[in-house]
Amino acid sequence: MGCITNIIKIIILALAIIGFKAIGGMEFFQGKFDFKFFEKPSQEKLQEKASKIADLTNINDEYQIDRTANIMGYKTVIAEHSGSGQKMIIIDSGKKTPLTKEDFQTKEVDTKLKDLASKIQYQFIRIEDLEITQRGNINALGQQVPYVKFKAQTVNLPFAEIQGIIGATTDKNGKNKMILAINDSKKYSQIITQEFFKDAK
């Protein structure tokens, strides 16, 4: 369960970045991650770093790479839609495989996400009452990726509810990858998610 626990932590991190200024999160994250929030490299440099996880050279100008990092042992790239602040995340999970395509076919993903959302307690921010609201496939990383759409309540964030998707696949090189998109429920857009991931290879 440790591997999937880290995915919940990445979701929490994405939420903290969305509401970062409002929650004063710098002190909470100091020493926990290997990147600095306020020293942002150029898009060219971020594109170069992101290429180790996915090819994002063809994404629309409305999207910017926000961070690349090694979070909880996962190579991760976080992108943002400039108009809405929505976060799109691609995670190279390597051999740890916290979620697989099969988990989505058997609905094991429901159990894994709900159990962890209810068990993990955070000192400052957390999600509660996670609910799977939809399931399907999305064009991402050059293939059809199974996903579930979810919503959850938040604690200690400037918005009460979030929405997003999480999916899993194996890329052409045999690497396990996960995709995430997340935002305040009032701002979440599946179209924004689809437009980003269709250009991610």
Side-chain angles (χ1 to χ4, degrees):
M1 293 293 280
C3 294
I4 190 66
T5 300
N6 289 339
I7 301 309
I8 298 294
K9 290 179 181 178
I10 292 173
I11 292 173
I12 295 296
L13 172 61
L15 292 173
I17 295 173
I18 293 170
F20 187 72
K21 290 183 180 178
I23 65 174
M26 188 61 180
E27 293 78 13
F28 178 73
F29 288 109
Q30 274 184 338
K32 292 184 171 65
F33 305 102
D34 69 348
F35 58 79
K36 297 178 182 179
F37 282 88
F38 297 115
E39 295 180 9
K40 190 171 179 180
S42 68
Q43 281 297 298
E44 291 75 16
K45 187 68 175 177
L46 287 168
Q47 285 277 8
E48 181 183 340
K49 290 183 177 181
S51 67
K52 298 175 183 177
I53 303 165
D55 181 358
L56 302 180
T57 55
N58 293 320
I59 60 174
N60 190 288
D61 289 342
E62 293 181 13
Y63 304 90
Q64 296 286 309
I65 300 174
D66 191 51
R67 306 284 170 193
T68 61
N70 188 314
I71 304 173
M72 317 295 177
Y74 299 122
K75 294 178 182 177
T76 304
V77 58
I78 302 174
E80 179 180 306
H81 179 257
S82 57
S84 66
Q86 188 159 305
K87 300 292 183 184
M88 276 64 61
I89 305 168
I90 302 173
I91 304 164
D92 182 347
S93 55
K95 296 180 180 179
K96 299 176 184 178
T97 320
L99 288 173
T100 66
K101 277 188 173 183
E102 289 72 26
D103 289 333
F104 290 81
Q105 294 167 352
T106 63
K107 297 188 179 181
E108 181 66 17
V109 62
D110 299 40
T111 302
K112 287 183 177 181
L113 292 178
K114 289 179 181 179
D115 284 353
L116 281 158
S118 65
K119 290 176 183 177
I120 299 172
Q121 295 297 314
Y122 289 92
Q123 185 177 12
F124 187 59
I125 44 180
R126 62 186 180 273
I127 55 175
E128 299 178 338
D129 302 323
L130 187 143
E131 177 185 351
I132 305 297
T133 60
Q134 181 181 319
R135 56 190 82 238
N137 292 284
I138 187 172
N139 183 7
L141 305 176
Q143 58 186 289
Q144 290 296 303
V145 177
Y147 75 89
V148 292
K149 188 175 182 182
F150 62 88
K151 66 179 180 180
Q153 304 302 307
T154 69
V155 177
N156 290 323
L157 282 168
F159 35 85
E161 185 180 81
I162 57 163
Q163 285 192 62
I165 69 161
I166 185 167
T169 192
T170 303
D171 71 11
K172 60 185 179 182
N173 298 316
K175 290 184 177 181
N176 297 305
K177 299 283 180 70
M178 285 177 291
I179 61 169
L180 281 163
I182 199 163
N183 206 352
D184 177 352
S185 277
K186 294 178 181 178
K187 297 180 179 179
Y188 180 79
S189 167
Q190 188 70 6
I191 293 174
I192 288 173
T193 296
Q194 291 169 342
E195 286 298 307
F196 174 82
F197 282 115
K198 74 179 178 61
D199 293 327
K201 305 298 182 185

